Amino acid sequence: MLLIAIILFGTIIGAAAQLLLGKSKKGVDWSAAFAAGIIGSFVGGLLVSLLSGDGLAFRPSGIIGSVVGAIIVTAGWYWWKGKYAARV
């Protein structure tokens, strides 16, 4: 049950990151939302750990850390996609 809640939470956070960045003109890319939400939670947790002085310990963060991490991951994905998609 916890795994389903983590997947659902990550997907919703990833979709929120796409909507906050305003890049989803055709709607939400759910696979990217899932990846950004799950990875963003760890990125946000790492940033919160570094800022609070806990070192490089991966810890699940709260909602704010998850959203910030998902925004960073989504923005990086859009940057990489825009930079390298033109070359292919």
Side-chain angles (χ1 to χ4, degrees):
M1 193 68 167
L2 178 65
L3 185 61
I4 294 171
I6 290 171
I7 291 171
L8 183 61
F9 177 74
T11 304
I12 291 171
I13 293 298
Q18 287 182 16
L19 294 174
L20 286 173
L21 287 175
K23 300 284 186 174
S24 58
K25 296 172 186 159
K26 297 179 183 176
V28 175
D29 181 6
W30 292 106
S31 59
F34 170 75
I38 299 297
I39 296 168
S41 290
F42 288 110
V43 169
L46 178 63
L47 287 175
V48 168
S49 291
L50 287 174
L51 291 175
S52 66
D54 292 335
L56 291 175
F58 280 110
R59 295 183 182 158
S61 63
I63 294 173
I64 295 172
S66 295
V67 171
V68 169
I71 288 172
I72 291 169
V73 169
T74 303
W77 171 252
Y78 286 143
W79 173 80
W80 183 82
K81 188 175 167 183
K83 184 174 183 176
Y84 292 107
R87 293 182 182 181
V88 176

